[in-house]
Short mmCIF file of all heavy atoms in Angstrom, two decimals:
data_model
loop_
_atom_site.label_atom_id
_atom_site.label_comp_id
_atom_site.label_asym_id
_atom_site.label_seq_id
_atom_site.Cartn_x
_atom_site.Cartn_y
_atom_site.Cartn_z
N PHE A 196 -17.59 0.09 0.41
CA PHE A 196 -16.23 -0.01 0.98
C PHE A 196 -15.97 1.20 1.87
O PHE A 196 -16.07 2.35 1.40
CB PHE A 196 -15.24 -0.02 -0.20
CG PHE A 196 -13.79 -0.27 0.14
CD1 PHE A 196 -13.22 -1.53 -0.03
CD2 PHE A 196 -12.99 0.73 0.63
CE1 PHE A 196 -11.90 -1.78 0.25
CE2 PHE A 196 -11.65 0.50 0.93
CZ PHE A 196 -11.12 -0.77 0.74
N VAL A 197 -15.64 0.95 3.12
CA VAL A 197 -15.32 2.05 4.04
C VAL A 197 -13.84 2.03 4.34
O VAL A 197 -13.28 1.05 4.86
CB VAL A 197 -16.14 1.95 5.39
CG1 VAL A 197 -15.71 3.05 6.32
CG2 VAL A 197 -17.61 1.93 5.10
N LEU A 198 -13.15 3.11 3.96
CA LEU A 198 -11.74 3.32 4.31
C LEU A 198 -11.72 4.19 5.56
O LEU A 198 -12.08 5.34 5.50
CB LEU A 198 -10.99 3.97 3.17
CG LEU A 198 -9.55 4.45 3.51
CD1 LEU A 198 -8.64 3.28 3.82
CD2 LEU A 198 -8.98 5.29 2.38
N SER A 199 -11.36 3.58 6.68
CA SER A 199 -11.43 4.34 7.96
C SER A 199 -10.06 4.62 8.55
O SER A 199 -9.23 3.74 8.69
CB SER A 199 -12.27 3.58 8.99
OG SER A 199 -12.34 4.35 10.18
N TRP A 200 -9.88 5.89 8.96
CA TRP A 200 -8.76 6.27 9.78
C TRP A 200 -8.92 5.55 11.11
O TRP A 200 -10.02 5.25 11.58
CB TRP A 200 -8.77 7.77 10.04
CG TRP A 200 -7.59 8.31 10.74
CD1 TRP A 200 -6.40 8.72 10.23
CD2 TRP A 200 -7.43 8.51 12.18
NE1 TRP A 200 -5.56 9.14 11.21
CE2 TRP A 200 -6.16 9.04 12.44
CE3 TRP A 200 -8.30 8.33 13.28
CZ2 TRP A 200 -5.70 9.35 13.71
CZ3 TRP A 200 -7.83 8.62 14.56
CH2 TRP A 200 -6.55 9.13 14.75
N ALA A 201 -7.80 5.19 11.74
CA ALA A 201 -7.80 4.60 13.08
C ALA A 201 -6.66 5.26 13.88
O ALA A 201 -5.71 5.76 13.30
CB ALA A 201 -7.60 3.09 13.01
N TYR A 202 -6.83 5.18 15.19
CA TYR A 202 -5.78 5.80 16.05
C TYR A 202 -4.50 4.99 15.96
O TYR A 202 -4.52 3.75 15.86
CB TYR A 202 -6.24 5.89 17.49
CG TYR A 202 -5.15 6.41 18.36
CD1 TYR A 202 -4.79 7.78 18.35
CD2 TYR A 202 -4.38 5.52 19.17
CE1 TYR A 202 -3.74 8.23 19.12
CE2 TYR A 202 -3.31 6.02 19.91
CZ TYR A 202 -3.00 7.36 19.86
OH TYR A 202 -1.94 7.81 20.61
N HIS A 203 -3.39 5.66 16.05
CA HIS A 203 -2.07 5.05 16.12
C HIS A 203 -1.17 6.08 16.78
O HIS A 203 -1.35 7.30 16.56
CB HIS A 203 -1.56 4.73 14.68
CG HIS A 203 -0.29 3.93 14.64
ND1 HIS A 203 0.96 4.48 14.92
CD2 HIS A 203 -0.06 2.64 14.30
CE1 HIS A 203 1.87 3.56 14.78
NE2 HIS A 203 1.29 2.40 14.41
N PRO A 204 -0.23 5.69 17.65
CA PRO A 204 0.57 6.71 18.32
C PRO A 204 1.51 7.49 17.42
O PRO A 204 1.95 8.57 17.87
CB PRO A 204 1.37 5.86 19.34
CG PRO A 204 1.32 4.46 18.86
CD PRO A 204 0.07 4.33 18.07
N LYS A 205 1.73 7.07 16.22
CA LYS A 205 2.67 7.78 15.33
C LYS A 205 1.92 8.29 14.13
O LYS A 205 0.93 7.71 13.69
CB LYS A 205 3.79 6.85 14.87
CG LYS A 205 4.74 6.42 15.97
CD LYS A 205 5.81 5.57 15.36
CE LYS A 205 6.75 5.03 16.44
NZ LYS A 205 7.58 3.91 15.94
N ALA A 206 2.50 9.37 13.51
CA ALA A 206 1.96 9.87 12.25
C ALA A 206 2.46 9.03 11.11
O ALA A 206 3.64 9.11 10.72
CB ALA A 206 2.40 11.34 12.06
N LEU A 207 1.61 8.21 10.55
CA LEU A 207 2.03 7.26 9.52
C LEU A 207 1.81 7.85 8.10
O LEU A 207 1.04 8.77 7.92
CB LEU A 207 1.23 5.94 9.67
CG LEU A 207 1.43 5.20 10.97
CD1 LEU A 207 0.63 3.89 10.97
CD2 LEU A 207 2.90 4.88 11.23
N PRO A 208 2.51 7.28 7.10
CA PRO A 208 2.42 7.78 5.71
C PRO A 208 1.01 7.65 5.13
O PRO A 208 0.18 6.88 5.62
CB PRO A 208 3.43 6.91 4.95
CG PRO A 208 4.31 6.30 5.96
CD PRO A 208 3.51 6.17 7.23
N LEU A 209 0.83 8.38 4.06
CA LEU A 209 -0.48 8.41 3.35
C LEU A 209 -0.51 7.34 2.19
O LEU A 209 -1.52 7.26 1.49
CB LEU A 209 -0.72 9.75 2.73
CG LEU A 209 -0.89 10.92 3.76
CD1 LEU A 209 -0.88 12.25 3.02
CD2 LEU A 209 -2.15 10.75 4.56
N ALA A 210 0.56 6.58 2.02
CA ALA A 210 0.63 5.71 0.82
C ALA A 210 -0.51 4.70 0.79
O ALA A 210 -1.17 4.59 -0.25
CB ALA A 210 1.98 4.96 0.84
N VAL A 211 -0.73 3.99 1.86
CA VAL A 211 -1.77 2.93 1.83
C VAL A 211 -3.16 3.51 1.71
O VAL A 211 -3.95 3.10 0.82
CB VAL A 211 -1.63 1.96 3.02
CG1 VAL A 211 -2.85 1.06 3.09
CG2 VAL A 211 -0.35 1.17 2.87
N PRO A 212 -3.53 4.56 2.50
CA PRO A 212 -4.89 5.08 2.31
C PRO A 212 -5.10 5.66 0.93
O PRO A 212 -6.15 5.46 0.31
CB PRO A 212 -5.01 6.18 3.40
CG PRO A 212 -3.65 6.38 3.95
CD PRO A 212 -2.90 5.10 3.71
N ALA A 213 -4.09 6.36 0.37
CA ALA A 213 -4.25 6.92 -0.97
C ALA A 213 -4.42 5.81 -2.01
O ALA A 213 -5.29 5.89 -2.87
CB ALA A 213 -3.01 7.78 -1.32
N ALA A 214 -3.58 4.79 -1.95
CA ALA A 214 -3.65 3.68 -2.91
C ALA A 214 -4.93 2.88 -2.74
O ALA A 214 -5.57 2.47 -3.75
CB ALA A 214 -2.42 2.77 -2.75
N THR A 215 -5.33 2.65 -1.48
CA THR A 215 -6.55 1.84 -1.22
C THR A 215 -7.81 2.55 -1.74
O THR A 215 -8.69 1.94 -2.37
CB THR A 215 -6.66 1.60 0.28
OG1 THR A 215 -5.47 0.95 0.72
CG2 THR A 215 -7.87 0.69 0.59
N LEU A 216 -7.89 3.85 -1.47
CA LEU A 216 -9.05 4.64 -1.93
C LEU A 216 -9.15 4.53 -3.45
O LEU A 216 -10.24 4.28 -4.00
CB LEU A 216 -8.85 6.08 -1.49
CG LEU A 216 -9.79 7.13 -2.09
CD1 LEU A 216 -11.23 6.82 -1.72
CD2 LEU A 216 -9.42 8.54 -1.60
N HIS A 217 -8.03 4.71 -4.16
CA HIS A 217 -8.05 4.66 -5.60
C HIS A 217 -8.42 3.27 -6.10
O HIS A 217 -9.24 3.12 -7.02
CB HIS A 217 -6.69 5.10 -6.16
CG HIS A 217 -6.64 4.95 -7.65
ND1 HIS A 217 -6.07 3.86 -8.28
CD2 HIS A 217 -7.12 5.73 -8.66
CE1 HIS A 217 -6.20 3.99 -9.60
NE2 HIS A 217 -6.85 5.13 -9.84
N MET A 218 -7.87 2.24 -5.48
CA MET A 218 -8.12 0.87 -5.89
C MET A 218 -9.61 0.53 -5.80
O MET A 218 -10.24 0.01 -6.72
CB MET A 218 -7.31 -0.10 -5.01
CG MET A 218 -7.54 -1.57 -5.24
SD MET A 218 -8.99 -2.27 -4.42
CE MET A 218 -8.63 -1.97 -2.68
N ALA A 219 -10.23 0.88 -4.64
CA ALA A 219 -11.63 0.51 -4.43
C ALA A 219 -12.54 1.31 -5.40
O ALA A 219 -13.53 0.77 -5.92
CB ALA A 219 -12.04 0.80 -2.98
N ALA A 220 -12.17 2.56 -5.65
CA ALA A 220 -12.92 3.38 -6.63
C ALA A 220 -12.79 2.81 -8.02
O ALA A 220 -13.75 2.69 -8.79
CB ALA A 220 -12.46 4.83 -6.54
N MET A 221 -11.55 2.43 -8.38
CA MET A 221 -11.31 1.88 -9.74
C MET A 221 -12.03 0.54 -9.91
O MET A 221 -12.49 0.22 -11.01
CB MET A 221 -9.79 1.67 -9.90
CG MET A 221 -9.37 1.23 -11.29
SD MET A 221 -7.54 1.08 -11.39
CE MET A 221 -7.39 0.53 -13.09
N ARG A 222 -12.18 -0.21 -8.84
CA ARG A 222 -12.87 -1.51 -8.89
C ARG A 222 -14.38 -1.29 -9.08
O ARG A 222 -15.11 -2.21 -9.37
CB ARG A 222 -12.57 -2.32 -7.61
CG ARG A 222 -13.02 -3.76 -7.66
CD ARG A 222 -12.52 -4.55 -6.45
NE ARG A 222 -13.04 -5.89 -6.43
CZ ARG A 222 -14.17 -6.25 -5.85
NH1 ARG A 222 -14.88 -5.37 -5.20
NH2 ARG A 222 -14.57 -7.54 -5.88
N GLY A 223 -14.85 -0.06 -8.81
CA GLY A 223 -16.27 0.26 -9.03
C GLY A 223 -17.10 0.30 -7.77
O GLY A 223 -18.36 0.35 -7.83
N MET A 224 -16.47 0.33 -6.64
CA MET A 224 -17.20 0.27 -5.37
C MET A 224 -17.64 1.68 -4.92
O MET A 224 -17.12 2.68 -5.39
CB MET A 224 -16.33 -0.34 -4.25
CG MET A 224 -15.89 -1.77 -4.63
SD MET A 224 -14.96 -2.65 -3.35
CE MET A 224 -16.28 -3.24 -2.29
N ASP A 225 -18.61 1.73 -4.03
CA ASP A 225 -19.03 3.00 -3.44
C ASP A 225 -18.18 3.18 -2.16
O ASP A 225 -18.31 2.45 -1.16
CB ASP A 225 -20.51 2.96 -3.05
CG ASP A 225 -21.37 2.87 -4.32
OD1 ASP A 225 -21.05 3.56 -5.31
OD2 ASP A 225 -22.35 2.09 -4.31
N VAL A 226 -17.23 4.13 -2.24
CA VAL A 226 -16.21 4.25 -1.21
C VAL A 226 -16.51 5.44 -0.29
O VAL A 226 -16.75 6.55 -0.78
CB VAL A 226 -14.84 4.45 -1.85
CG1 VAL A 226 -13.73 4.32 -0.76
CG2 VAL A 226 -14.56 3.45 -2.97
N THR A 227 -16.48 5.19 0.99
CA THR A 227 -16.59 6.27 1.97
C THR A 227 -15.28 6.35 2.75
O THR A 227 -14.84 5.37 3.29
CB THR A 227 -17.74 5.99 2.96
OG1 THR A 227 -18.94 5.83 2.21
CG2 THR A 227 -17.88 7.16 3.96
N VAL A 228 -14.72 7.55 2.78
CA VAL A 228 -13.53 7.79 3.61
C VAL A 228 -14.04 8.33 4.94
O VAL A 228 -14.65 9.41 5.02
CB VAL A 228 -12.55 8.80 2.97
CG1 VAL A 228 -11.33 9.01 3.86
CG2 VAL A 228 -12.15 8.36 1.60
N LEU A 229 -13.81 7.56 6.00
CA LEU A 229 -14.27 7.92 7.34
C LEU A 229 -13.07 8.40 8.13
O LEU A 229 -12.09 7.63 8.31
CB LEU A 229 -14.92 6.68 8.01
CG LEU A 229 -15.28 6.77 9.46
CD1 LEU A 229 -16.31 7.85 9.73
CD2 LEU A 229 -15.78 5.41 9.95
N ARG A 230 -13.10 9.64 8.53
CA ARG A 230 -11.91 10.20 9.25
C ARG A 230 -12.33 11.38 10.10
O ARG A 230 -13.28 12.09 9.82
CB ARG A 230 -10.83 10.61 8.21
CG ARG A 230 -11.03 11.96 7.60
CD ARG A 230 -12.21 12.04 6.64
NE ARG A 230 -12.51 13.33 6.08
CZ ARG A 230 -13.32 14.23 6.66
NH1 ARG A 230 -13.83 14.05 7.82
NH2 ARG A 230 -13.60 15.38 6.06
N PRO A 231 -11.58 11.61 11.21
CA PRO A 231 -11.92 12.81 11.99
C PRO A 231 -11.46 14.08 11.27
O PRO A 231 -10.67 14.00 10.32
CB PRO A 231 -11.01 12.63 13.25
CG PRO A 231 -10.29 11.35 13.10
CD PRO A 231 -10.45 10.86 11.71
N GLU A 232 -11.97 15.20 11.72
CA GLU A 232 -11.54 16.48 11.15
C GLU A 232 -10.03 16.66 11.34
O GLU A 232 -9.50 16.30 12.39
CB GLU A 232 -12.28 17.66 11.82
CG GLU A 232 -13.83 17.55 11.74
CD GLU A 232 -14.38 17.57 10.35
OE1 GLU A 232 -13.75 18.18 9.47
OE2 GLU A 232 -15.44 16.89 10.11
N GLY A 233 -9.36 17.16 10.32
CA GLY A 233 -7.94 17.35 10.39
C GLY A 233 -7.16 16.19 9.75
O GLY A 233 -5.94 16.27 9.59
N PHE A 234 -7.92 15.13 9.41
CA PHE A 234 -7.26 13.94 8.77
C PHE A 234 -7.82 13.70 7.37
O PHE A 234 -7.75 12.58 6.85
CB PHE A 234 -7.42 12.70 9.68
CG PHE A 234 -6.63 12.80 10.95
CD1 PHE A 234 -7.19 13.42 12.07
CD2 PHE A 234 -5.33 12.34 11.01
CE1 PHE A 234 -6.47 13.53 13.25
CE2 PHE A 234 -4.59 12.48 12.22
CZ PHE A 234 -5.15 13.05 13.32
N GLU A 235 -8.38 14.74 6.76
CA GLU A 235 -8.88 14.62 5.40
C GLU A 235 -7.72 14.22 4.48
O GLU A 235 -6.58 14.66 4.66
CB GLU A 235 -9.41 15.98 4.91
CG GLU A 235 -10.58 16.52 5.68
CD GLU A 235 -10.18 17.27 7.00
OE1 GLU A 235 -8.98 17.33 7.32
OE2 GLU A 235 -11.11 17.71 7.68
N LEU A 236 -8.02 13.38 3.51
CA LEU A 236 -6.99 13.04 2.53
C LEU A 236 -6.79 14.25 1.60
O LEU A 236 -7.74 14.99 1.36
CB LEU A 236 -7.35 11.78 1.75
CG LEU A 236 -7.31 10.47 2.58
CD1 LEU A 236 -7.83 9.33 1.79
CD2 LEU A 236 -5.90 10.20 3.11
N PRO A 237 -5.57 14.45 1.10
CA PRO A 237 -5.32 15.61 0.25
C PRO A 237 -6.22 15.67 -0.98
O PRO A 237 -6.59 14.61 -1.53
CB PRO A 237 -3.85 15.43 -0.17
CG PRO A 237 -3.25 14.52 0.82
CD PRO A 237 -4.36 13.60 1.26
N ALA A 238 -6.53 16.87 -1.41
CA ALA A 238 -7.46 17.05 -2.55
C ALA A 238 -7.03 16.29 -3.80
O ALA A 238 -7.87 15.65 -4.44
CB ALA A 238 -7.61 18.57 -2.86
N PRO A 239 -5.71 16.26 -4.17
CA PRO A 239 -5.37 15.51 -5.39
C PRO A 239 -5.60 13.99 -5.22
O PRO A 239 -5.93 13.32 -6.21
CB PRO A 239 -3.87 15.80 -5.55
CG PRO A 239 -3.59 17.03 -4.77
CD PRO A 239 -4.58 17.02 -3.62
N VAL A 240 -5.50 13.50 -4.00
CA VAL A 240 -5.74 12.09 -3.75
C VAL A 240 -7.24 11.78 -3.92
O VAL A 240 -7.63 10.79 -4.57
CB VAL A 240 -5.27 11.71 -2.32
CG1 VAL A 240 -5.74 10.30 -1.93
CG2 VAL A 240 -3.72 11.79 -2.24
N MET A 241 -8.05 12.66 -3.37
CA MET A 241 -9.53 12.48 -3.49
C MET A 241 -9.92 12.62 -4.96
O MET A 241 -10.76 11.84 -5.49
CB MET A 241 -10.25 13.52 -2.64
CG MET A 241 -10.07 13.36 -1.15
SD MET A 241 -10.76 11.81 -0.48
CE MET A 241 -12.51 12.02 -0.75
N GLN A 242 -9.33 13.59 -5.66
CA GLN A 242 -9.72 13.85 -7.04
C GLN A 242 -9.37 12.65 -7.94
O GLN A 242 -10.13 12.29 -8.85
CB GLN A 242 -9.03 15.11 -7.51
CG GLN A 242 -9.63 15.75 -8.76
CD GLN A 242 -11.16 15.92 -8.64
OE1 GLN A 242 -11.63 16.51 -7.68
NE2 GLN A 242 -11.89 15.39 -9.61
N LYS A 243 -8.21 12.08 -7.69
CA LYS A 243 -7.80 10.90 -8.48
C LYS A 243 -8.80 9.77 -8.29
O LYS A 243 -9.14 9.08 -9.29
CB LYS A 243 -6.37 10.49 -8.04
CG LYS A 243 -5.82 9.26 -8.74
CD LYS A 243 -4.42 8.98 -8.22
CE LYS A 243 -3.92 7.62 -8.69
NZ LYS A 243 -2.59 7.29 -8.13
N ALA A 244 -9.26 9.57 -7.07
CA ALA A 244 -10.24 8.50 -6.81
C ALA A 244 -11.58 8.83 -7.41
O ALA A 244 -12.27 7.92 -7.95
CB ALA A 244 -10.36 8.31 -5.30
N ILE A 245 -11.97 10.08 -7.35
CA ILE A 245 -13.27 10.48 -7.95
C ILE A 245 -13.25 10.24 -9.46
O ILE A 245 -14.19 9.71 -10.03
CB ILE A 245 -13.59 11.96 -7.61
CG1 ILE A 245 -13.91 12.10 -6.12
CG2 ILE A 245 -14.70 12.52 -8.48
CD1 ILE A 245 -13.95 13.52 -5.60
N PHE A 246 -12.12 10.52 -10.09
CA PHE A 246 -11.98 10.29 -11.52
C PHE A 246 -12.10 8.79 -11.82
O PHE A 246 -12.79 8.38 -12.77
CB PHE A 246 -10.66 10.85 -12.01
CG PHE A 246 -10.40 10.61 -13.48
CD1 PHE A 246 -11.08 11.36 -14.43
CD2 PHE A 246 -9.51 9.65 -13.91
CE1 PHE A 246 -10.89 11.12 -15.79
CE2 PHE A 246 -9.28 9.43 -15.27
CZ PHE A 246 -9.98 10.17 -16.21
N ALA A 247 -11.43 7.97 -11.00
CA ALA A 247 -11.49 6.50 -11.19
C ALA A 247 -12.91 6.03 -11.02
O ALA A 247 -13.37 5.12 -11.76
CB ALA A 247 -10.54 5.80 -10.21
N ALA A 248 -13.63 6.55 -10.01
CA ALA A 248 -15.00 6.13 -9.78
C ALA A 248 -15.92 6.53 -10.93
O ALA A 248 -16.83 5.77 -11.30
CB ALA A 248 -15.51 6.75 -8.47
N GLU A 249 -15.67 7.67 -11.53
CA GLU A 249 -16.49 8.12 -12.68
C GLU A 249 -16.31 7.12 -13.85
O GLU A 249 -17.24 6.85 -14.55
CB GLU A 249 -16.08 9.54 -13.10
CG GLU A 249 -16.66 10.60 -12.18
CD GLU A 249 -16.05 11.99 -12.42
OE1 GLU A 249 -15.18 12.13 -13.28
OE2 GLU A 249 -16.44 12.89 -11.69
N GLU A 250 -15.09 6.62 -13.99
CA GLU A 250 -14.84 5.65 -15.06
C GLU A 250 -15.45 4.29 -14.82
O GLU A 250 -15.87 3.62 -15.73
CB GLU A 250 -13.32 5.44 -15.20
CG GLU A 250 -12.53 6.67 -15.61
CD GLU A 250 -12.52 6.85 -17.14
OE1 GLU A 250 -12.03 5.92 -17.81
OE2 GLU A 250 -13.03 7.88 -17.60
N SER A 251 -15.47 3.87 -13.52
CA SER A 251 -15.85 2.53 -13.16
C SER A 251 -17.32 2.35 -12.77
O SER A 251 -17.79 1.23 -12.62
CB SER A 251 -14.98 2.05 -11.99
OG SER A 251 -15.31 2.79 -10.84
N GLY A 252 -18.01 3.50 -12.53
CA GLY A 252 -19.37 3.43 -12.06
C GLY A 252 -19.46 3.36 -10.53
O GLY A 252 -20.54 3.09 -9.99
N GLY A 253 -18.41 3.62 -9.87
CA GLY A 253 -18.40 3.70 -8.40
C GLY A 253 -18.66 5.10 -7.91
O GLY A 253 -19.07 5.98 -8.67
N SER A 254 -18.38 5.33 -6.64
CA SER A 254 -18.53 6.69 -6.09
C SER A 254 -17.54 6.86 -4.93
O SER A 254 -17.05 5.90 -4.35
CB SER A 254 -19.97 6.92 -5.61
OG SER A 254 -20.25 6.05 -4.52
N VAL A 255 -17.30 8.11 -4.59
CA VAL A 255 -16.38 8.45 -3.49
C VAL A 255 -16.97 9.62 -2.67
O VAL A 255 -17.44 10.58 -3.22
CB VAL A 255 -15.01 8.93 -4.07
CG1 VAL A 255 -14.10 9.48 -2.94
CG2 VAL A 255 -14.31 7.79 -4.80
N ARG A 256 -16.98 9.46 -1.36
CA ARG A 256 -17.36 10.54 -0.48
C ARG A 256 -16.58 10.44 0.81
O ARG A 256 -15.94 9.42 1.07
CB ARG A 256 -18.89 10.50 -0.21
CG ARG A 256 -19.29 9.32 0.62
CD ARG A 256 -20.78 9.18 0.68
NE ARG A 256 -21.10 8.02 1.52
CZ ARG A 256 -21.67 8.13 2.71
NH1 ARG A 256 -22.09 9.30 3.17
NH2 ARG A 256 -21.89 7.06 3.44
N GLU A 257 -16.67 11.45 1.67
CA GLU A 257 -16.00 11.41 2.96
C GLU A 257 -16.88 11.95 4.03
O GLU A 257 -17.76 12.78 3.78
CB GLU A 257 -14.67 12.15 2.93
CG GLU A 257 -14.72 13.59 2.56
CD GLU A 257 -13.33 14.27 2.47
OE1 GLU A 257 -12.44 13.85 3.21
OE2 GLU A 257 -13.23 15.19 1.66
#
Side-chain angles (χ1 to χ4, degrees):
F196 187 101
V197 178
L198 170 65
S199 180
W200 186 88
Y202 176 75
H203 188 285
K205 293 182 184 165
L207 298 182
L209 296 171
V211 170
T215 303
L216 169 61
H217 176 263
M218 176 278 300
M221 185 178 179
R222 191 172 175 271
M224 302 184 81
D225 295 319
V226 190
T227 302
V228 181
L229 172 62
R230 82 291 174 274
E232 304 298 329
F234 292 88
E235 298 82 0
L236 290 174
V240 170
M241 293 298 292
Q242 199 50 53
K243 179 179 168 183
I245 289 167
F246 179 72
E249 284 169 0
E250 296 275 301
S251 67
S254 65
V255 172
R256 68 190 183 112
E257 59 182 329

